[in-house]
Every structure is written in C-alpha cells, then in structure tokens.
Amino acid sequence: MAESMTWLQAVILGAVQGLTEFLPISSSGHLRIVSGVFFGGDAGASFTAVTQLGTEAAVLLFFWRDIVRIVRAWFGGLLDKTKRTLDYRLGWYVIIATIPIGVLGILFKDQIRNGARNLWLIATMLIAFAIVIAVAEYIGPKNRPIEKITTKDGLIMGAAQCLALIPGVSRSGATTSAGLFTGLEREAAVRFSFLLAIPAVTASGLFSLPDAFEPAGEGLNASGPQLLVATVVAFGLGYVSIAWLLKFVANHSLYWFVGYRIVLGIAVMALLSAGVVSAT
C-alpha cells in the first residue's frame, strides 16, 4: 500500500540527495537505504530522479561560466573550423557520451524503478564497485589534465555512466573511475564527470516528473510541495558538496570513499540478514 511521505521525511531525503549526489557513494542507493531503514518504505526512483534536478541546478550554478563558454564554443565551432577549441570538443564529448545512458534509461525504465531497487543488490554493488574505484585509484596514471581529454575518454566515461542506472554503483564513482583508468588526473575526471551528468540527470528528472506526482504505487509518496522543498534542500547541500569534493580530490585519494562504501554495504547486508529491514 502507498504511504504518504511526511515533511520531515521529505527534508531528510532531500538532504541525503544533496549530500551524496556528487560523492562516489551512490545517492540513489543512499536514498533507498535511508528510506527503507528509517522510514520503512521506498521513496521511489521517481522521487530520486526529481530531487536530482535540485543537485543538477547546483551543478549549473557552480559551473555556469564553464557551461556558457562550452556552449558558445560548440556553436561557434560548428560554423567556423578555426574556433574548434578544447571547449568545442568538450561540448561534443558530453553530447556523444550521453547517448548510451539515454537509450538504456528508456529501454530499462521499469527494471530500474522496481527490481533494481532491491537492497541486497544495492549493498552488493556498494561493495563490488568500491573495489573498482580502489583499482582505478591504484593503477590509474593520473597524469593528464582536462586539457588533454580525448574522444576516447569521453566515450569510455559515457559508457561507464550507464552503470549508474543500477542503485549502489554511483554515477560520479563510475565516470570518475573510468576517467582514472584512461589516465586523467583525479580532479579532471571529477570535473568532466560533473559536466557529463548534466544532460542525463536533467532529462531523467523531467521525464520522471509525472510519475513522481502520481499518487498510485507502493512506497512513500511525496506531495508536490514536499517534492519542491526536498529539491530545494538538495540544491543547497549539493552546491556545498561540489565545492567540498573538488577541494578534497585535489589533495586526497578516493580510498576514503572506498572504505565507507564497504562498511555501509556490509552494514546493510547485516540488517537484511537479521530481518531488521526488508530487501524490497
């Protein structure tokens, strides 16, 4: 049976979205875990997608100058070959890299919103992908700045972004790891990861708006005003999270997040095994 979301739940889940969206720890996984463990229900994939509009608005604001510069360079390069700079290429990389996740997101919409939100799967992916991030951090050369990014890098990171359709993987974790594997510097991989997420996450949020406002279905159903407040909260904390992460990765490795993911994954498995929380 569907259950109405309370205002406290909406604010808390919006805060979780804002704090975790840009960290390589899976915001969708955290929303599912928090809503399941503390609220006895699932806020749903649509709630997740819509509140992501708040965090994507934070990206747009934080990188506004970069985005405007890239868009201008892209249009300018289309008309004049002499203006095909790094920003022009970045525009194309983002467009090309967004195609795979757009296609898969539409094809597997129902699986993503239902079966893929099983807590056993999420806990498993938290641990499994922690290992992937650790390997990328360990063997990645990290010797190329964003000025050296190539079409191949964009394609590989775009393909990796598709893994984010599985809760527990993490969009930023997948794309950043892919960037490290290709040799990009940690900060360069994170920056391009932010740019790469803008079209995919914005489209996902807008596409999910009708479902988020639909009162039918199981789990926790948020009202329109609650969705708005949760999205605003996600925006504010998301902006702070971006600034913090960019400073953090400039001087620290991703191993800190690897350890956190493994501990959280094991904790969720323990709760599931003890019957404290339901997998679905």
Side-chain angles (χ1 to χ4, degrees):
M1 289 291 293
E3 181 181 337
S4 296
M5 184 178 291
T6 67
W7 278 100
L8 178 60
Q9 291 170 342
V11 171
I12 291 176
L13 293 174
V16 170
Q17 168 63 30
L19 291 172
T20 61
E21 169 67 18
F22 304 111
L23 307 184
I25 56 178
S26 178
S27 60
S28 59
H30 273 72
L31 282 172
R32 177 66 184 90
I33 291 169
V34 171
S35 59
V37 173
F38 296 102
F39 305 142
D42 183 2
S46 294
F47 178 91
T48 301
V50 173
T51 53
Q52 280 179 329
L53 290 175
T55 46
E56 285 314 299
V59 172
L60 290 172
L61 180 61
F62 194 93
F63 291 102
W64 181 249
R65 291 183 180 179
D66 301 81
I67 294 169
V68 170
R69 191 181 66 248
I70 290 171
V71 171
R72 285 178 176 172
W74 186 79
F75 279 107
L78 287 177
L79 302 174
D80 186 348
K81 291 183 179 181
T82 63
K83 295 182 179 180
R84 294 181 177 178
T85 60
L86 168 65
D87 289 327
Y88 168 80
R89 298 198 307 274
L90 283 175
W92 271 118
Y93 298 160
V94 170
I95 293 170
I96 294 171
T98 300
I99 295 174
I101 195 172
V103 174
L104 291 180
I106 294 174
L107 291 177
F108 297 101
K109 172 184 175 182
D110 293 335
Q111 290 87 338
I112 294 168
R113 297 187 177 184
N114 297 301
R117 297 184 67 78
N118 184 288
L119 281 178
W120 277 111
L121 174 62
I122 291 173
T124 300
M125 295 311 298
L126 280 170
I127 297 172
F129 214 80
I131 298 173
V132 174
I133 295 173
V135 172
E137 179 67 47
Y138 183 74
I139 72 173
K142 297 186 285 291
N143 57 8
R144 289 192 296 123
I146 198 165
E147 289 78 13
K148 299 294 183 179
I149 195 169
T150 65
T151 303
K152 180 181 177 182
D153 298 325
L155 289 172
I156 291 175
M157 293 178 73
Q161 186 175 215
C162 295
L163 296 173
L165 294 172
I166 306 172
V169 170
S170 168
R171 182 187 309 278
S172 62
T175 52
T176 300
S177 295
L180 294 180
F181 277 124
T182 66
L184 290 176
E185 293 176 348
R186 194 182 299 114
E187 189 173 1
V190 171
R191 280 185 172 274
F192 186 69
S193 174
F194 285 146
L195 295 175
L196 185 57
I198 292 173
V201 174
T202 301
S204 175
L206 294 175
F207 188 70
S208 298
L209 272 174
D211 295 319
F213 284 106
E214 175 60 47
E218 299 202 359
L220 301 171
N221 286 320
S223 65
Q226 288 173 335
L227 270 176
L228 177 60
V229 169
T231 302
V232 171
V233 171
F235 165 77
L237 292 178
Y239 190 90
V240 173
S241 179
I242 295 171
W244 178 84
L245 181 62
L246 287 173
K247 290 182 180 180
F248 183 86
V249 298
N251 302 296
H252 300 83
S253 74
L254 299 181
Y255 291 131
W256 293 92
F257 301 109
V258 170
Y260 172 79
R261 289 176 64 106
I262 292 175
V263 170
L264 179 61
I266 293 174
V268 172
M269 286 183 173
L271 291 174
L272 289 167
S273 298
V276 175
V277 62
S278 171
T280 58

